Amino acid sequence: MHVIVDSSPGTSPGPELVQLLTPEGERVEHPEYSIELSPQEYRGLYRDLVLVRRVDAEAVALQRQGELGIWASLLGQEAAQVGAGRAMGPNDYAFPTYREHGVAWCRDVDPLNLLGLFRGVNHGGWDPNEHNFHLYTIVIGAQTLHAVGYAMGMQRDGSGAAVLAFFGDGATSQGDVNEAFNFAGVYNAPVVFFCQNNQWAISEPLERQTRAPLYRRASGFGFPGVRVDGNDVLACLAVTREALDYAREGNGPILIEAFTYRMGAHTTSDDPSRYRLQSELEAWKLKDPIERYKRFLIKNSLADSDFFAEVDAESERLARHMRDGCRALPDPEPLSLFDHVYAEGHPLVDEERAQFAAYLSADVDATAERGEG
């Protein structure tokens, strides 16, 4: 595995950034990484990018209409997530944060399941083992520890697969992430740490989080790191494929820093205009991952107008599916809150369930006495 070492500051992509597609949509070569796909596979990546962005836009709209409590947008990070998600093998396992809607798409998780979580009617709604995609983790960085533990288990089972752990630049300041790095390095765990450096930890810019490029953190824990253009889906796919191969072959962990940008708000509760310049956002819009990839397809005659029209039509159908499905999601039975806390019974959870059942029953009785039932 190629190890990149440079001294560029944390906010600059640096000269060693792995890139296979320029912001203008020009295909370029890299001495360490390459990728060749069939025309159908190239078109498939575009379809992924467009539909994932539509999922995100529709969820934001539903939140504004009061149908969701909150939503964490991935706007601008589609290429990083689709590239990483499509690099996974069928037996690899992903541990997401709460923003990996693109990876969820690649693992065939119905977007309605994501909406259910943010609507507050389920805990995620999908079977992690069916999709090899764990439930969303809200606690910043905690899933990296879960990922390393899972990878160590896979290593001992001789599964031959690898784990992909997602987190953001802000999470690299958490102790959990550094502990995960250390455990993974010491135990040679087959895990790929995939950091989406979107330049902002809510309102904290990257230069206030670190004085060195994030991918160089890996060297301190004894494993390689690489920085990739996170708005270049081909580069993200190529780098993540090689990293997963590296981990599966028993070489231990590796850190990928996908250098990208959060074009939207941190969540729908955030207003980024209060802390970042509009000019910065406009500069990154010129590097939009979907526009650059569309230009690449057109320049190389890999897609025609009929294809783009069909993707747009599919996007509309997906949006209707999300709108209608979200509003039809049933409210859960209150006591189901306790059903999946543990795989088997637990005394404390059983006690809490009984107390809550008694509370609900008392409330029903009080309502009946008031004649309101």
Side-chain angles (χ1 to χ4, degrees), residues 13 20 47 78 84 109 133 153 171 210 213 229 267 275 294 324 334 340 368:
L20 298 178
R47 174 180 175 271
E78 296 89 348
V109 175
F133 183 75
T210 180
D229 185 340
T267 69
Y275 54 79
K294 185 176 183 178
D324 296 343
H340 303 293

Side-chain angles (χ1 to χ4, degrees), residues 9-44:
T11 53
S12 169
E16 301 270 5
L17 183 78
V18 178
Q19 186 180 75
L20 298 178
L21 203 61
T22 69
E24 294 74 31
E26 297 290 342
R27 184 75 162 83
V28 293
E29 299 300 323
H30 188 278
E32 300 290 336
Y33 298 94
S34 63
I35 193 165
E36 288 296 334
L37 303 175
S38 69
Q40 183 176 5
E41 289 171 326
Y42 278 122
R43 289 191 292 272

Side-chain angles (χ1 to χ4, degrees), residues 118-230:
F118 289 95
R119 190 177 171 86
V121 299
N122 61 40
H123 296 303
W126 66 88
D127 180 352
N129 291 331
E130 180 183 347
H131 301 277
N132 279 17
F133 183 75
H134 203 262
L135 296 175
Y136 277 5
T137 301
I138 307 300
V139 179
I140 304 300
Q143 75 282 357
T144 57
L145 290 169
H146 308 158
V148 172
Y150 197 90
M152 291 169 63
M154 294 171 78
Q155 181 186 51
R156 284 152 177 73
D157 290 342
S159 73
V163 169
L164 198 50
F166 291 90
F167 54 100
D169 49 284
T172 63
S173 298
Q174 293 282 0
D176 285 8
V177 172
N178 291 276
E179 291 160 13
F181 285 176
N182 195 47
F183 256 80
V186 169
Y187 289 97
N188 212 44
V191 56
V192 176
F193 295 104
F194 194 94
C195 175
Q196 292 170 80
N197 175 4
N198 68 16
Q199 314 298 318
W200 289 92
I202 308 182
S203 58
E204 197 75 354
L206 187 67
E207 67 265 22
R208 294 184 187 170
Q209 301 177 55
T210 180
R211 302 308 300 170
L214 293 175
Y215 71 90
R216 292 179 60 191
R217 293 273 183 90
S219 64
F221 294 94
F223 55 87
V226 58
R227 176 180 275 183
V228 63
D229 185 340

Side-chain angles (χ1 to χ4, degrees), residues 318-335:
L318 176 61
R320 283 196 296 274
H321 166 69
M322 291 180 64
R323 288 194 297 270
D324 296 343
C326 179
R327 294 180 179 117
L329 286 171
D331 288 337
E333 290 297 322
L335 289 176

